[in-house]
Amino acid sequence: MNDLSRYCERVLLNKQEIADMVKRLGAQITKDYEGKKLFLICVLKGGFVFMSDLVRAIDLPVDMDFIAVSSYGSSTKTSGVVRLLKDIDKPLNDKHVLIVEDIMDSGLTLKYIKAMFENRSPLSVKVCTAFDKPERRRVDITPDYVGAVIPDEYVVGYGLDYDGILRNLPELCVLKRSVYED
Ligand code: 5GP
């Protein structure tokens, strides 16, 4: 048992399940965007682990960039107020944009980000999320690509943090309640 696993209540997706999920998404995206100019935009920080696996599972000459957003609120609940901390620096008018996100919960963050890029007149804007909690949705937004639908629980690992830590946990885990209820 490694040290990080003490934060983990239970494993929702192990390394192999995540690898299979990424492979499936990469193959689907490769098929859907063949012959098109695909521009992947990763939402930092949570999306960075998924992004690095996903781009290597896509067999197309993709361009990519990163944005950073922060959502105000306590560390296990989102407030819906999104602040753009880092933007991309290229115009999008001749590109098909695919936003790469770690997890969709209320949907507020992605609704905001998607609308922001749609306003820049790209050829298309779609959303790929590693994990989705559809039960929690508060706004009308459906991701175009979903790695795995998960239950309404606070998860960590595979890029997702608790208070800045645990992004490097290779599995997707339900965070132990005692960690944030202490
Ligand atoms: P939304 O705007 O869809 O409610 O929330 C999106 C953001 O909230 C995600 O990008 C992520 O940063 C954070 N978030 C939502 N659910 C979880 C979760 O279960 N675990 C962690 N670590 N972050 C989450």
Side-chain angles (χ1 to χ4, degrees), residues 5 23 28-29 31 35-36 67 76 80 99 101 108 112 117 119 145-146 153 169:
S5 61
K23 197 172 165 197
Q28 187 63 51
I29 292 166
K31 194 163 157 252
K36 293 181 177 161
I67 61 164
T76 60
I99 303 167
E101 169 73 305
L108 287 158
Y112 172 91
F117 289 132
N119 280 337
Y145 301 93
V146 177
E153 288 181 282
L169 191 65

Side-chain angles (χ1 to χ4, degrees), residues 32-182:
D32 294 352
Y33 287 91
E34 198 183 347
K36 293 181 177 161
K37 222 172 176 178
L38 176 58
F39 190 67
L40 292 152
I41 302 177
C42 170
V43 185
L44 294 171
K45 298 176 186 165
F48 87 100
V49 177
F50 178 46
M51 178 76 160
S52 75
D53 284 345
L54 185 67
V55 289
R56 287 175 291 171
I58 298 174
D59 193 14
L60 296 171
V62 299
D63 194 354
M64 70 192 81
D65 207 342
F66 300 82
I67 61 164
V69 295
S70 84
S71 128
Y72 296 104
S74 72
S75 43
T76 60
K77 292 254 156 54
T78 184
S79 67
V81 182
V82 179
R83 194 159 57 110
L84 186 65
L85 304 175
K86 181 210 172 297
D87 202 349
I88 57 168
D89 45 28
K90 280 186 188 169
L92 295 177
N93 47 309
D94 59 343
K95 296 178 178 67
H96 290 276
V97 170
L98 185 60
I99 303 167
V100 178
E101 169 73 305
D102 54 357
I103 190 164
M104 239 169 126
D105 186 87
S106 70
L108 287 158
T109 308
L110 270 177
K111 182 125 185 157
Y112 172 91
I113 294 170
K114 197 175 177 206
M116 178 179 80
F117 289 132
E118 276 167 350
N119 280 337
R120 299 183 192 182
S121 310
L123 297 173
S124 67
V125 183
K126 286 192 175 176
V127 170
C128 176
T129 188
F131 311 112
D132 189 14
K133 293 196 253 186
E135 291 167 57
R136 302 256 313 159
R137 203 74 87 246
R138 279 168 56 195
V139 287
D140 179 28
I141 180 165
T142 308
D144 302 278
Y145 301 93
V146 177
V149 171
I150 61 166
D152 177 12
E153 288 181 282
Y154 194 80
V155 291
V156 290
Y158 200 67
L160 288 146
D161 75 315
Y162 167 68
D163 209 13
I165 60 168
L166 306 178
R167 294 191 199 276
N168 55 325
L169 191 65
E171 298 91 15
L172 186 75
C173 290
V174 175
L175 180 64
K176 230 177 220 163
R177 277 193 169 270
S178 58
V179 176
Y180 57 92
E181 282 181 349
D182 275 353

